[in-house]
Amino acid sequence: MIISKRPRRLRSSEGIRSMMRENTLSPQDMIAPLFVMEGKGRREEIPSMPDQYRLTLDELSKEVKDLWSLGIRAVSLFPAIDEHKKNSKASEALNPHGLNQWAIKEVKATVPEMLVMSDVALDPYSSDGHDGLVDPKTGEILNDETMEILAQMALVQAEAGSDIIGPSDMMDGRVGFIREALEKAGYKNTMIMAYTAKYASAFYGPFRDALQSAPKKGDKKSYQMDPSNVREALREARLDEDEGADILMVKPGLPYLDVISELRRQTHLPIAAYNVSGEYAMVKAAHLRGWLDENKVMLEMLTSFKRAGADMILTYFAKDAARFLNH
Ligand code: PBG
């Protein structure tokens, strides 16, 4: 048979396959989200996220050393705040001596070159479990009233040494508001990674277990995006870019690869994908049942983000993937 064009020629050995490879994954592409809690010498496994832990600060320090030695260059911190410290104003978020700020300092003291990303949203600190203030009469999530707290949070975190502020709250105008506050306070090099297209997703379930931060009433649909929309993501991206974001993020990752590739075409800013808790839990659950090969699925999944156009990936697989890639 004469078949002049045979794509299989270019797949016939690992040598040619490796030259043909359009996208690669390395430890430096990944940001490891880490959960922290009060106390000493303890790590508590999160039931819906096997192999992920809430860490006390001394354990955080060990984890960060491990990650650094594996080639991971950034972590994103999420504090599990004690229930009695939560209130409707999320005031613990602004405590310069709060857990989150200690965690930032701990990472910087352990490995100064490790980039620290910190989260700006009220939910871990709010007795209502919402990312913004809640109107006690109507239940509305108050946009403008939340803004001042978000900006103060960003300043407290920048002061503690955070390199990257991650507003995950989806309030309108917050990137610009935070940027202005940082500029005025002299934090000219503090980056903002905007949660640009953050969808109202059921894939955040395990994360909310980890922080016990699920909304007490209602859902997040009046601020997080409708999973059916993509043009709306482009609009959010333009706004975040205009307001001074340094990096744009799409979240969740896997069900929104089309949004990543669409954004890739529309912006010159770097793009991050957040491979969220539910995406992690699905793979772990299937692996524990012997239904799929965890490592292979993990690498395929992470590579799909690069192929879609993401420059970096927030993923609970960071450590496992780095280990695998280093071998
Ligand atoms: C909260 C926040 C959430 C996540 C990151 N920041 C949950 C939410 O919006 O309810 C989810 C991350 C994950 O699922 O891995 N502002």
Side-chain angles (χ1 to χ4, degrees), residues 121 123 131 168 198 204 207-208 220 224 251 276-277 316:
D123 53 328
D131 296 26
S168 69
K198 179 174 181 181
Y204 308 149
F207 176 97
R208 293 176 190 171
K220 299 193 175 185
Q224 299 180 348
K251 174 187 180 183
V276 302
S277 58
Y316 304 95

Side-chain angles (χ1 to χ4, degrees), residues 36-103:
V36 296
M37 64 175 181
E38 304 273 0
K40 234 186 144 212
R42 286 188 308 128
R43 38 175 72 211
E44 269 174 21
E45 192 167 24
I46 297 152
S48 49
M49 300 178 75
D51 303 326
Q52 296 296 315
Y53 300 85
R54 296 182 203 97
L55 307 168
T56 55
L57 295 189
D58 48 337
E59 291 292 319
L60 171 68
S61 170
K62 288 184 204 157
E63 189 66 24
V64 163
K65 275 186 218 151
D66 282 358
L67 291 169
W68 183 263
S69 70
L70 288 166
I72 304 286
R73 296 293 173 254
V75 296
S76 175
L77 301 175
F78 294 100
I81 302 296
D82 291 340
E83 208 56 39
H84 73 272
K85 288 193 179 155
K86 298 184 184 181
N87 61 31
S88 61
K89 295 212 153 53
S91 46
E92 180 61 16
L94 304 183
N95 180 357
H97 306 293
L99 172 64
N100 188 54
Q101 281 60 256
W102 282 119

Side-chain angles (χ1 to χ4, degrees), residues 11 27 215 229 327:
R11 299 180 203 134
N229 297 349
H327 278 288

